[in-house]
Amino acid sequence: MHAKTLLVIHHTHTDIGYTEQQQRIENWQVDFIRQAMDIIKRSRDRVGKNFSGYRWVCESFRAVELFLEQASDREIEELGTILRRKEIGLSGNYLNFNELPDRALMNSVTRRAHLFGRDNAVKINAAMTADINGFGPGFARALLDNGINKLFTCIHTHHGMYPLGRTQVPFWWETPRGDRLLVWSGEHYHFGNDLGVVPGAVSSYLIKDECDATMIFGDNWPVAELRIPRYFEQLATSGYQFDFVPVMASGLRTDNAPPSEGIIDFIERWNMKHGHEIRIEMATLSEFFDRLRRLRHAFPSYRGDWPDWWSDGPASNPSAVRIFRQAQRDLALYRALLGARSEIQGQPLADIETELAVFAEHTFNHSASVSNPWHFMAHTIPAVNLSSAAIAGEETQALIDDACEQLGAATLQERMPLRYRAINPFQRPRLGPIRLKTNHFEFNELGLNHGAEIIDLADNRVIPCRLEVEPRGGAFCGIVDLKPGEMRDYELRPLNPEVRADSDPVGSETWQDCPGDTGRLETDHVRIDWRLEDGLISWFDKAGNRELLRPDRVHNVFTPVYEITRPLDGQDLMSVRSAMGLNRKGPNVERSAGRLIGVRSGAATDIYSTLQLDYETPGTRLCTLELRAWHDTPRVDATLRLHKTSRWEPENLYLALPFGGAERLQVILDRSGSGIRPRLEQIPGTLTDFYTVQSGFALGCESFGMSVAMPDQHLLQIGPLEHGERLLAGDKRLADDPELLYAWLMTNYWETNFNAELGGFHEFRYHLAWGAHLAQPAKALNECDALNQGITCFRLKR
């Protein structure tokens, strides 16, 4: 009888910050490579009939990068030799990411493995991931653009699920541009430990059988003899078609585990006794995929998105996500400045990209962050994580300042002229506000306390403007239109005291309470109606003569929706969370919509009209929405400001965005630079409830489009808010789901790794534009990016 083969891919799961402080784990990961190299050298003379050789796989290239920074020249040379002997395999994946990185960041850090392989004659054409439950199109594209055309996934199905309804299955994943990855959707990354292949590191996390604690924590041999044959029988029953099967295994019963040398003795003993029926060999990723490709099977192909069930993790720290997204957006601006202006001397970006990548690693807090939220680790780990985003933001802003100085920007100095320069470094026109900033100490000195006007110095044209008071100064804001690559200069001219300024009094904001129970915010482009208690009840596009809100909506637009799940009898604050499964709340969830209790209007101007709306919302002490409707263009900016209370119970906070009108315009998501129709363009069996978006999303039909830009938060909920069965991509019942849209602002539903509470001050901004000019999805998504970026403007030296 032909023997079956169990291929053991030995690795350590890279989970930076989950089991220990980040720096300590990174040091461990470096030492694991040293340990593996030592084991390989010691075990070469044991290669023979019952042992084909020791193999180790570096799950993420970040560990290799750190090793190269710390190792001696001798160690680096030795690693190169071992890699070329194919005793250690490298994964082209930089880290196990969430879906926050944009396409540029993902491609840049993935390229590091490609360049290392090229420079050291090491072929890196495969990648692996562990834990994470999905990937945006930008991830697949980054792999393929860097010569990596094979992907091994080890999805962790706690609060998540693998695609296609089964594991240990190969398929082609086709990207939006038509190229494809060969994917092996495998078991959990500790499944080899469950099978008993690693002495002293047996687990029973996934396999629940007669093996009791004495067996699990004792000798691994009886566990392996029971579970390994049984697993092959189960594979045969399920229709598994290959005579070999891969499993991942760690050296200890934990994440961030070292390599095991004891596995060699086990493999030799097993093959001596059972090798005629089931042989065990160690393998690298490339060795496994080479074996798979030699079969020349025709694997099924699936085109579309693969959303990550775990992309909700960052929403447990929304303030940190806001800093990250701004830093990543600033980095895109800096790259654009370098591309648009040859006179700018650029600086290296690798350190900034590393900080962003480390922040976007899938771990956000310690394993005990919810069970022991007072623990030191539950505070220091998210603080270090936040520092990565903050450092990236600070260093990127320094690069932008340097670039602007090369273009004539002034630093802070006395007697600065009121001259400014705006630049559009992007390849598309930009129509929008510029902000001419001034300092608080200049208002009286330069006569700005009586108002000012903006002068376009190219044609001496006056641009209507309004003063916006902000901390330590203000900004005069006006609408301009810049061509791709255009720079344009402006001057701020103070008005005479006798001239009425279209601005608020310096140092204050003018708001007046709106009388009555109903009211309206109106421009030439839009009519927005409100009603006390109910909120914003209509959003009417005047040019298109259409209502933009869905008639079947459950909540009115920009209404906050709060949820809390209290423990049932017999549950504690951990078990109530772990029992949720694929839901993000319990069956007893309490849901409350914010009540509109007060409205104020801002001073009338020629630039824009404003409203402030106060909502009484459970879970918050303050909940205020500010709307700004621009007069010269169909655009509204919305800002939600919160003072969130602190609760240990699992909570969710959403913001209703029921746009689409009676005709239910098609939703298009910006998924790492690709426009994706959710649910329609997805791999079967994948998540359909919520999605990470980069710049925002669009809605449209042949003659009309709408852009909804989301600069600060990343999650868009499309599935029903109610607890219940979660429908997966390909389920015919999705046709009956209304797909009402909500921004998912924050959550702490998970029992580990999330921040335990969400309290504090938060701000979330949204920019909305619409019209026939946005009917094409690509244009509408580009508009989201333009709305988020705005127009760069700086003060000149002279």
Side-chain angles (χ1 to χ4, degrees), residues 361-574:
E361 201 267 350
H362 72 299
T363 308
F364 267 78
N365 208 324
H366 190 258
S367 59
S369 61
V370 178
S371 62
N372 296 273
W374 43 78
H375 194 278
F376 178 75
M377 289 290 187
H379 293 268
T380 187
I381 288 171
V384 171
N385 200 42
L386 172 62
S387 73
S388 291
I391 290 170
E394 184 178 42
E395 293 184 355
T396 303
Q397 190 57 58
L399 291 181
I400 293 172
D401 288 348
D402 178 67
C404 291
E405 285 178 35
Q406 295 180 56
L407 297 176
T411 58
L412 186 61
Q413 53 192 266
E414 63 178 355
R415 293 188 295 275
M416 289 187 294
L418 291 171
R419 292 199 170 195
Y420 298 79
R421 177 164 292 162
I423 179 171
N424 173 19
F426 298 96
Q427 298 178 1
R428 296 180 295 273
R430 291 287 164 97
L431 171 66
I434 55 169
R435 296 171 55 80
L436 278 54
K437 293 189 176 183
T438 55
N439 299 293
H440 66 92
F441 49 79
E442 295 180 298
F443 283 110
N444 287 322
E445 178 183 329
L446 299 179
L448 297 174
N449 52 321
H450 301 298
E453 58 186 9
I454 298 175
I455 307 298
D456 186 331
L457 294 179
D459 54 18
N460 214 36
R461 179 170 53 94
V462 176
I463 298 173
C465 68
R466 177 178 179 176
L467 171 64
E468 297 177 359
V469 177
E470 56 187 29
R472 303 197 64 79
F476 287 86
C477 180
I479 296 289
V480 301
D481 191 356
L482 296 181
K483 300 174 183 176
E486 182 180 10
M487 284 200 311
R488 208 166 180 90
D489 292 350
Y490 303 90
E491 185 174 62
L492 194 59
R493 293 182 182 171
L495 294 175
N496 293 326
E498 295 80 11
V499 180
R500 178 185 177 274
D502 187 12
S503 65
D504 293 335
V506 174
S508 67
E509 292 286 354
T510 301
W511 296 97
Q512 293 185 341
D513 291 334
C514 296
D517 294 338
T518 62
R520 176 172 292 172
L521 176 65
E522 187 167 11
T523 70
D524 291 342
H525 303 280
V526 68
R527 185 177 69 237
I528 302 172
D529 293 335
W530 58 265
R531 182 167 61 220
L532 289 182
E533 298 289 330
D534 298 327
L536 301 174
I537 58 176
S538 176
W539 194 295
F540 191 80
D541 168 34
K542 290 185 173 182
N545 194 34
R546 70 172 75 208
E547 173 61 54
L548 295 181
L549 301 186
R550 292 270 298 271
D552 58 343
R553 62 189 180 275
V554 178
H555 301 101
N556 285 315
V557 67
F558 288 115
T559 295
V561 180
Y562 172 75
E563 293 181 341
I564 184 170
T565 300
R566 305 180 195 276
L568 298 169
D569 291 343
Q571 290 183 324
D572 57 26
L573 290 170
M574 292 287 288

Side-chain angles (χ1 to χ4, degrees), residues 16 90 173 193 253 432 687 689 701 734 787:
I16 308 297
L90 300 186
W173 181 18
N193 299 78
R253 197 182 298 109
L687 167 70
D689 275 341
C701 60
L734 287 171
L787 290 168

Side-chain angles (χ1 to χ4, degrees), residues 502-728:
D502 187 12
S503 65
D504 293 335
V506 174
S508 67
E509 292 286 354
T510 301
W511 296 97
Q512 293 185 341
D513 291 334
C514 296
D517 294 338
T518 62
R520 176 172 292 172
L521 176 65
E522 187 167 11
T523 70
D524 291 342
H525 303 280
V526 68
R527 185 177 69 237
I528 302 172
D529 293 335
W530 58 265
R531 182 167 61 220
L532 289 182
E533 298 289 330
D534 298 327
L536 301 174
I537 58 176
S538 176
W539 194 295
F540 191 80
D541 168 34
K542 290 185 173 182
N545 194 34
R546 70 172 75 208
E547 173 61 54
L548 295 181
L549 301 186
R550 292 270 298 271
D552 58 343
R553 62 189 180 275
V554 178
H555 301 101
N556 285 315
V557 67
F558 288 115
T559 295
V561 180
Y562 172 75
E563 293 181 341
I564 184 170
T565 300
R566 305 180 195 276
L568 298 169
D569 291 343
Q571 290 183 324
D572 57 26
L573 290 170
M574 292 287 288
S575 60
V576 67
R577 289 170 156 92
S578 62
M580 290 178 182
L582 297 183
N583 283 277
R584 271 49 184 161
K585 61 209 69 176
N588 60 314
V589 61
E590 301 169 18
R591 183 176 303 108
S592 307
R595 295 172 47 246
L596 181 60
I597 58 174
V599 181
R600 295 176 297 279
S601 62
T605 76
D606 294 333
I607 312 302
Y608 52 74
S609 298
T610 56
L611 277 183
Q612 278 190 354
L613 303 99
D614 294 331
Y615 287 85
E616 183 180 82
T617 305
T620 69
R621 290 191 176 93
L622 173 126
C623 183
T624 297
L625 177 72
E626 183 174 319
L627 296 181
R628 176 178 297 178
W630 297 84
H631 289 288
D632 290 343
T633 183
R635 169 176 171 171
V636 173
D637 297 333
T639 302
L640 181 72
R641 299 186 179 98
L642 301 170
H643 183 192
K644 177 72 184 67
T645 56
S646 175
R647 298 294 297 265
W648 198 355
E649 296 93 337
E651 299 177 290
N652 295 299
L653 187 61
Y654 303 93
L655 193 65
L657 299 173
F659 293 105
E663 57 194 298
R664 285 187 60 172
L665 301 173
Q666 175 62 56
V667 179
I668 309 289
L669 308 180
D670 177 6
R671 295 277 292 152
S672 56
S674 295
I676 297 293
R677 296 181 299 165
R679 300 182 171 182
L680 299 178
E681 297 173 333
Q682 290 187 213
I683 296 174
T686 53
L687 167 70
T688 65
D689 275 341
F690 55 88
Y691 302 80
T692 290
V693 296
Q694 278 298 332
S695 60
F697 65 94
L699 305 102
C701 60
E702 291 184 359
S703 60
F704 177 83
M706 185 175 192
S707 303
V708 182
M710 301 165 55
D712 300 321
Q713 55 96 201
H714 68 292
L715 287 180
L716 185 69
Q717 176 83 17
I718 292 182
L721 297 185
E722 290 74 22
H723 177 280
E725 180 185 2
R726 311 325 294 176
L727 303 183
L728 307 180

